[in-house]
Amino acid sequence: MKFDILTIFPEIFDSYLNESIIARAISQGIIEIRIHDIRKYSKDKHKKVDDIPFGGGAGMLMTPQPLYDAITAVKKKNKGPVIYFSPQGKTLSQTKAENLAKKAQDLILICGRYEGIDQRIIDLCVDEEISIGNYVLTGGELPAMVLVDAVSRLIPEVLGKDESHLHDSFSKAFKRKKEYPHYTRPAKFKGMEVPEVLLSGHHKKIKEWRNKNLK
Ligand code: SAM
């Protein structure tokens, strides 16, 4: 599965995507992530990508030309839907991540900055707006990483056997509920003991306890 990410801050992605499970998935060729600098597509002599909003108001907006040209160029190699991250979008859920992973369609992800992007880009080029929650971030780069992470870990072979996603919070197996509490060694820590049933080795009872403690 390929993710093409359009941003004016390409370096932001360097650290996160080069570590741990996502880095391994990339090196194994299970996923591919290509970062595109929107600014490179600006026809402005100073490579400007923002301007004041018509009608006034605080802040700047991303201008349509660099975005349009960047999306057009990326679309030549990626035929998947274009997602724009925005607080106005539908909130990302585990079910949505599961559906995207199952379809395994390549995705084009647009990260906004400033006060957002010109509405005509949304009308002309965007297939879907996705929010990662009811709060406002400075840019769409974190949302892009959130989506890439949430979707990638659901692609078969990205997680090892021990890290299976089938029994995680919001999974079907947990009836979309949140996971039960976990404990590891030592059995007693700061005077606090692990629930006895978890030490019993009694698989049926452990399963019952865990089901009861889903939230
Ligand atoms: N003026 C916008 C508003 O009030 O909805 C906020 C713009 S925000 C400062 C800049 C960019 O960050 C947005 O264009 C979007 O790409 C991204 N962003 C901020 N919060 C987000 C969220 N909760 N979910 C997804 N993207 C978000």
Side-chain angles (χ1 to χ4, degrees):
M1 188 166 174
K2 293 183 189 71
F3 300 90
D4 281 286
I5 304 178
L6 280 62
T7 172
I8 57 168
F9 292 113
E11 289 85 14
I12 287 181
F13 294 91
D14 288 349
S15 63
Y16 191 78
L17 301 177
N18 286 322
E19 297 291 342
S20 186
I21 291 166
I22 299 297
R24 190 176 67 199
I26 294 169
S27 70
Q28 289 177 343
I30 304 169
I31 60 170
E32 193 178 327
I33 298 171
R34 298 179 293 221
I35 311 290
H36 307 270
D37 186 354
I38 297 165
R39 200 174 291 281
K40 284 193 182 152
Y41 293 88
S42 173
K43 288 182 177 148
D44 177 82
K45 63 177 175 203
H46 303 296
K47 294 283 165 198
K48 211 170 132 147
V49 289
D50 62 314
D51 213 328
I52 51 169
F54 283 123
M60 305 294 269
L61 275 182
M62 289 178 78
T63 53
Q65 178 274 314
L67 269 167
Y68 188 84
D69 288 358
I71 296 166
T72 306
V74 167
K75 275 189 151 208
K76 286 185 185 141
K77 288 194 174 169
N78 184 330
K79 304 291 172 206
V82 177
I83 292 172
Y84 168 54
F85 294 103
S86 122
Q88 288 82 49
K90 196 163 175 218
T91 310
L92 183 63
S93 64
Q94 187 69 6
T95 312
K96 177 71 185 174
E98 282 172 7
N99 289 339
L100 289 171
K102 204 168 159 193
K103 271 194 192 163
Q105 233 181 347
D106 297 340
L107 298 174
I108 300 174
L109 309 178
I110 302 178
C111 308
R113 277 273 157 177
Y114 312 111
E115 289 309 317
I117 67 176
D118 189 290
Q119 181 62 33
R120 289 164 292 184
I121 290 297
I122 299 173
D123 297 342
L124 283 169
C125 311
V126 171
D127 296 299
E128 194 169 359
E129 285 183 76
I130 290 184
S131 162
I132 62 159
N134 289 343
Y135 42 82
V136 177
L137 302 162
T138 51
E141 288 77 13
L142 284 171
M145 286 191 265
V146 167
L147 184 135
V148 167
D149 191 301
V151 172
S152 298
R153 67 190 293 285
L154 299 175
I155 297 171
E157 291 165 35
V158 168
L159 292 187
K161 224 182 183 182
D162 296 340
E163 304 155 312
S164 170
H165 59 80
L166 296 173
H167 294 87
D168 270 333
S169 295
F170 315 115
S171 62
K172 263 194 207 147
F174 287 176
K175 301 192 179 84
R176 303 292 182 197
K177 290 183 179 176
K178 296 174 197 165
E179 202 180 41
Y180 44 78
H182 292 289
Y183 299 87
T184 183
R185 279 184 274 253
K188 197 169 174 184
F189 181 71
K190 302 269 182 202
M192 296 178 78
E193 290 181 14
V194 172
E196 207 159 328
V197 62
L198 299 180
L199 308 173
S200 69
H202 195 301
H203 296 302
K204 191 166 169 261
K205 283 193 178 154
I206 292 171
K207 204 174 169 195
E208 281 167 9
W209 182 90
R210 285 179 168 167
N211 279 335
K212 217 174 89 193
N213 282 282
L214 291 172
K215 288 170 210 133

